[in-house]
Coordinates of all heavy atoms in Angstrom, one line a residue:
A133 N -23.2 5.1 39.8 CA -23.0 4.0 38.8 C -22.6 2.7 39.4 O -22.8 1.6 38.9 CB -21.9 4.4 37.8
A134 N -22.0 2.8 40.7 CA -21.7 1.5 41.4 C -22.9 0.7 41.7 O -22.8 -0.6 41.8 CB -21.0 1.9 42.7
N135 N -24.1 1.3 41.7 CA -25.3 0.5 42.0 C -26.0 0.0 40.7 O -26.9 -0.8 40.9 CB -26.3 1.4 42.8 CG -25.7 1.8 44.1 OD1 -24.9 1.1 44.7 ND2 -26.1 3.0 44.5
V136 N -25.6 0.5 39.6 CA -26.3 0.0 38.4 C -25.4 -0.6 37.3 O -25.9 -1.2 36.4 CB -27.1 1.2 37.7 CG1 -28.2 1.6 38.6 CG2 -26.2 2.4 37.4
I137 N -24.1 -0.5 37.4 CA -23.2 -1.2 36.5 C -22.5 -2.3 37.2 O -21.8 -2.1 38.2 CB -22.2 -0.2 35.8 CG1 -23.0 0.8 35.0 CG2 -21.2 -1.0 34.9 CD1 -22.3 1.6 34.0
R138 N -22.7 -3.5 36.7 CA -22.2 -4.7 37.4 C -21.0 -5.3 36.7 O -21.2 -5.6 35.5 CB -23.4 -5.7 37.6 CG -23.0 -7.0 38.3 CD -22.3 -6.9 39.6 NE -22.9 -5.9 40.6 CZ -24.0 -6.2 41.3 NH1 -24.6 -7.3 41.3 NH2 -24.4 -5.2 42.2
F139 N -19.9 -5.5 37.4 CA -18.8 -6.3 36.8 C -18.7 -7.7 37.5 O -19.1 -7.8 38.6 CB -17.5 -5.5 37.1 CG -17.3 -4.3 36.2 CD1 -17.8 -3.1 36.6 CD2 -16.7 -4.4 35.0 CE1 -17.7 -1.9 35.8 CE2 -16.5 -3.3 34.1 CZ -17.0 -2.1 34.5
N140 N -18.2 -8.6 36.7 CA -18.0 -9.9 37.2 C -16.7 -9.9 38.0 O -15.9 -8.9 38.0 CB -17.8 -10.9 36.1 CG -19.0 -11.1 35.2 OD1 -20.1 -11.3 35.7 ND2 -18.9 -10.8 33.9
T144 N -14.8 -8.3 34.0 CA -15.5 -8.1 32.7 C -16.9 -7.6 33.1 O -17.4 -7.9 34.2 CB -15.6 -9.4 31.9 OG1 -16.1 -10.4 32.8 CG2 -14.2 -9.8 31.5
L145 N -17.5 -7.0 32.1 CA -18.9 -6.4 32.4 C -19.9 -7.5 32.4 O -19.9 -8.4 31.6 CB -19.2 -5.4 31.3 CG -20.6 -4.8 31.4 CD1 -20.7 -3.8 32.5 CD2 -21.0 -4.2 30.0
D146 N -20.8 -7.5 33.4 CA -22.0 -8.4 33.4 C -23.1 -7.6 32.8 O -23.9 -6.9 33.5 CB -22.3 -8.9 34.8 CG -23.4 -9.8 34.9 OD1 -24.2 -9.9 33.9 OD2 -23.6 -10.5 35.9
A147 N -23.2 -7.7 31.4 CA -24.2 -6.8 30.8 C -25.6 -7.1 31.2 O -26.4 -6.1 31.5 CB -24.0 -6.9 29.3
E149 N -26.9 -8.4 33.9 CA -27.2 -7.9 35.3 C -27.3 -6.3 35.3 O -28.1 -5.7 36.0 CB -26.1 -8.4 36.2 CG -26.4 -8.2 37.7 CD -27.7 -8.8 38.2 OE1 -28.2 -9.7 37.6 OE2 -28.2 -8.3 39.3
T150 N -26.4 -5.7 34.5 CA -26.3 -4.3 34.4 C -27.7 -3.7 33.9 O -28.2 -2.8 34.5 CB -25.2 -3.8 33.5 OG1 -24.0 -4.2 34.1 CG2 -25.2 -2.3 33.3
L153 N -30.3 -4.1 36.6 CA -30.2 -3.2 37.7 C -30.6 -1.8 37.2 O -31.2 -1.0 38.0 CB -28.7 -3.1 38.2 CG -28.2 -4.3 39.0 CD1 -26.7 -4.3 39.1 CD2 -28.9 -4.3 40.4
G171 N -18.3 1.1 37.6 CA -19.4 0.3 38.2 C -18.8 -0.4 39.3 O -17.8 0.0 39.9
S172 N -19.5 -1.5 39.7 CA -18.9 -2.3 40.8 C -19.1 -3.8 40.7 O -20.0 -4.2 40.0 CB -19.4 -1.8 42.2 OG -20.7 -2.3 42.4
K173 N -18.3 -4.5 41.4 CA -18.6 -6.0 41.5 C -19.7 -6.2 42.5 O -20.1 -5.2 43.2 CB -17.3 -6.7 42.1 CG -16.2 -6.7 41.1 CD -15.1 -7.5 41.7 CE -13.8 -7.4 41.0 NZ -12.6 -7.9 41.6
K174 N -20.2 -7.4 42.6 CA -21.3 -7.7 43.5 C -21.0 -7.3 45.0 O -21.8 -6.8 45.7 CB -21.6 -9.2 43.5 CG -23.0 -9.6 43.6 CD -23.2 -11.0 43.4 CE -24.7 -11.4 43.5 NZ -24.9 -12.7 43.0
N175 N -19.7 -7.5 45.3 CA -19.3 -7.1 46.7 C -19.1 -5.6 46.9 O -18.6 -5.2 48.0 CB -18.0 -7.9 47.1 CG -16.8 -7.5 46.3 OD1 -16.9 -6.5 45.5 ND2 -15.7 -8.2 46.4

Side-chain angles (χ1 to χ4, degrees):
N135 298 330
V136 293
I137 295 194
R138 176 56 45 81
F139 285 89
N140 297 306
T144 54
L145 177 74
D146 182 345
E149 188 59 20
T150 297
L153 287 169
S172 75
K173 291 185 191 169
K174 215 172 181 169
N175 65 6

